[in-house]
């Protein structure tokens, strides 16, 4: 019986030691993001539900402002480099010039899957993800004045980052 009690005490003690793991790494990580969160909130004071991730060399905040889902990208020096705002697939969510350009353009009959708005240091643009029957899905890049900048096939794994070549 004494052996069982002794083994139980050792087991409980071992569990307590594991639970008291050194959190210095987590605290440093959390402290670092206090600075990033302050930078984010100065640019987006209404940001809610903020979570952080690392994408390559960038620190990316996912957050909401009102009903909009957004991402803000910061470099290691806590400088803003890009924002992505997910818009619904309704043309009413974009500037009138952009909606008209899409509607009257070559892809006007295509179905819109998603529209995103990108703000970058080298210029702002809309990205339309569109599909049509048995044709490959396409990405359409529009300037804020409605000019179609380029159209490219939507390839797996394609993502726009601050390093993506300017349009």
């Amino acid at each position: 019986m004494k052996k069982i009690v002794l083994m139980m005490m050792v087991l409980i003690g071992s569990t307590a030691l594991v639970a008291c793991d050194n959190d210095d790494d987590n605290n440093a990580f959390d402290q670092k993001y206090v600075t990033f969160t302050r930078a984010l909130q100065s640019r987006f004071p209404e940001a809610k539900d903020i979570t952080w991730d690392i994408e390559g060399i960038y620190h990316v905040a996912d957050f909401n402002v009102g009903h909009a889902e957004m991402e803000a990208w910061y470099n290691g020096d806590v400088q803003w480099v890009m924002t992505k705002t997910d818009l619904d697939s309704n043309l009413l969510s974009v500037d009138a010039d952009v909606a008209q350009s899409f509607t009257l353009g070559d892809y006007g009959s295509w179905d819109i899957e998603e529209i995103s708005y990108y703000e970058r240091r080298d210029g702002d643009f809309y990205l339309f993800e569109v599909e049509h029957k048995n044709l490959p899905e396409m990405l359409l890049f529009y300037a804020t004045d409605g000019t179609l900048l380029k159209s490219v096939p939507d390839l797996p794994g394609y993502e726009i980052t601050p390093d993506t070549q300017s349009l």
Side-chain angles (χ1 to χ4, degrees):
M1 180 71 172
K2 287 182 182 181
K3 285 184 179 181
I4 293 175
V5 171
L6 181 60
M7 290 188 62
M8 291 296 283
M9 290 177 67
V10 169
L11 181 61
I12 291 171
S14 299
T15 304
L17 289 175
V18 171
C20 293
D21 189 18
N22 186 343
D23 284 340
D24 288 345
D25 291 339
N26 289 337
N27 289 337
F29 181 82
D30 292 342
Q31 190 61 28
K32 183 177 188 179
Y33 280 97
V34 167
T35 306
F36 281 99
T37 300
R38 284 186 188 133
L40 175 74
Q41 289 175 329
S42 72
R43 189 173 183 93
F44 303 98
E46 297 178 8
K48 303 282 187 230
D49 305 321
I50 302 166
T51 60
W52 288 95
D53 196 10
I54 295 177
E55 297 281 339
I57 62 170
Y58 297 102
H59 302 269
V60 182
D62 289 306
F63 60 99
N64 298 313
V65 172
H67 296 292
E69 294 180 12
M70 302 176 73
E71 291 179 1
W73 293 57
Y74 290 84
N75 65 19
D77 295 327
V78 197
Q79 296 173 329
W80 171 88
V81 291
M82 183 177 84
T83 300
K84 174 188 175 189
T85 304
D86 292 330
L87 306 173
D88 60 25
S89 60
N90 188 326
L91 285 174
L92 295 175
S93 64
V94 302
D95 293 335
D97 292 338
V98 176
Q100 182 178 7
S101 181
F102 173 79
T103 303
L104 299 176
D106 293 340
Y107 298 94
S109 64
W110 288 45
D111 295 324
I112 300 171
E113 286 185 358
E114 184 178 330
I115 302 172
S116 300
Y117 181 65
Y118 287 85
E119 299 168 85
R120 294 178 12 158
R121 291 187 275 189
D122 61 350
D124 301 348
F125 61 92
Y126 290 93
L127 174 65
F128 285 54
E129 296 178 32
V130 296
E131 64 182 357
H132 187 67
K133 299 181 184 174
N134 295 328
L135 297 173
E137 294 180 11
M138 297 293 290
L139 300 175
L140 312 176
F141 295 80
Y142 286 93
T144 56
D145 68 359
T147 303
L148 177 61
L149 300 170
K150 72 177 181 179
S151 57
V152 297
D154 186 5
L155 301 174
Y158 182 78
E159 182 179 4
I160 295 173
T161 71
D163 298 324
T164 303
Q165 294 297 316
S166 58
L167 310 169

